[in-house]
Amino acid sequence: MATIKLYAGFERFWHWSQAALIILMLITGFEIHGTYTLIGWEQAAEIHRIAAWTLIGLWAFAWFWHLTTGEWKQYIPSPMERILAMVKYYAFEIFQGKGHPFHKDRSHKHNPLQRSAYLGLHLFIGPAIWISGLLYLFYGDLGGIGLEWLPLGAIALVHTGAAFLMLTFLVAHLYLTITMSDPVGADVKAMITGYEEVDD
């Protein structure tokens, strides 16, 4: 085994800041939706709006960083046989004590399933949330850009549906990150320190 620096400083800042903002938006978003009452609708809406603009700004910086450093290549989908090997491992082989079919290095930080999941998050779930959120926020001005025909109910449905997909991703990500790393919690530690033990 060798210890290498796998995650850059900005990558870790972006990851944890994004996680905090998403959790904050989920908490305030479900309060706005009327699921529960914690701080009141008006305060929840104000915090939700500020967090949303902050997250959009963070994503803009993250996209710039990925494009200029070449890190976008980490999300190129893997061949189907490698994806199926990961599915087989998580479904059966992990319970039989077999070795992990994927080994990290600087050019391959994410296993084939993670690559597909993160690509879906960045291309579909994230944009669905912020585009529907902006349409919701500026609904009264949509006539100025020819979108007055968009029904508010449909925009709200897309925004809420995308929020549930984000919540599902967050729960699955936490479960797999904490329980499937070896030793348990090693991936969380690596995302804090930037360093991780990998096979030679």
Side-chain angles (χ1 to χ4, degrees), residues 75-120:
Y75 306 103
I76 296 174
S78 301
M80 185 54 69
E81 60 268 22
R82 297 195 66 195
I83 295 175
L84 292 176
M86 287 303 308
V87 172
K88 183 180 177 183
Y89 173 75
Y90 283 133
F92 305 106
E93 294 177 352
I94 192 171
F95 303 109
Q96 300 168 348
K98 293 189 177 180
H100 203 291
F102 172 75
H103 302 285
K104 292 182 182 180
D105 59 44
R106 287 191 179 89
S107 301
H108 303 86
K109 299 176 183 177
H110 312 304
N111 73 48
L113 280 181
Q114 287 175 311
R115 282 175 174 250
S116 298
Y118 296 159
L119 187 64

Side-chain angles (χ1 to χ4, degrees), residues 83-197:
I83 295 175
L84 292 176
M86 287 303 308
V87 172
K88 183 180 177 183
Y89 173 75
Y90 283 133
F92 305 106
E93 294 177 352
I94 192 171
F95 303 109
Q96 300 168 348
K98 293 189 177 180
H100 203 291
F102 172 75
H103 302 285
K104 292 182 182 180
D105 59 44
R106 287 191 179 89
S107 301
H108 303 86
K109 299 176 183 177
H110 312 304
N111 73 48
L113 280 181
Q114 287 175 311
R115 282 175 174 250
S116 298
Y118 296 159
L119 187 64
L121 176 70
H122 295 311
L123 291 184
F124 301 110
I125 299 176
I129 285 181
W130 64 259
I131 289 173
S132 60
L134 290 174
L135 291 174
Y136 212 158
L137 189 61
F138 296 106
Y139 187 74
D141 302 318
L142 294 187
I145 55 174
L147 294 177
E148 68 277 2
W149 52 271
L150 278 175
L152 183 60
I155 295 172
L157 187 63
V158 169
H159 197 65
T160 304
F164 273 105
L165 287 175
M166 183 64 81
L167 177 61
T168 302
F169 174 87
L170 181 64
V171 172
H173 180 65
L174 283 172
Y175 173 75
L176 291 172
T177 299
I178 294 172
T179 63
M180 297 296 180
S181 57
D182 184 22
V184 173
D187 288 344
V188 175
K189 181 181 177 183
M191 192 48 81
I192 293 173
T193 66
Y195 290 89
E196 184 162 348
E197 286 190 350

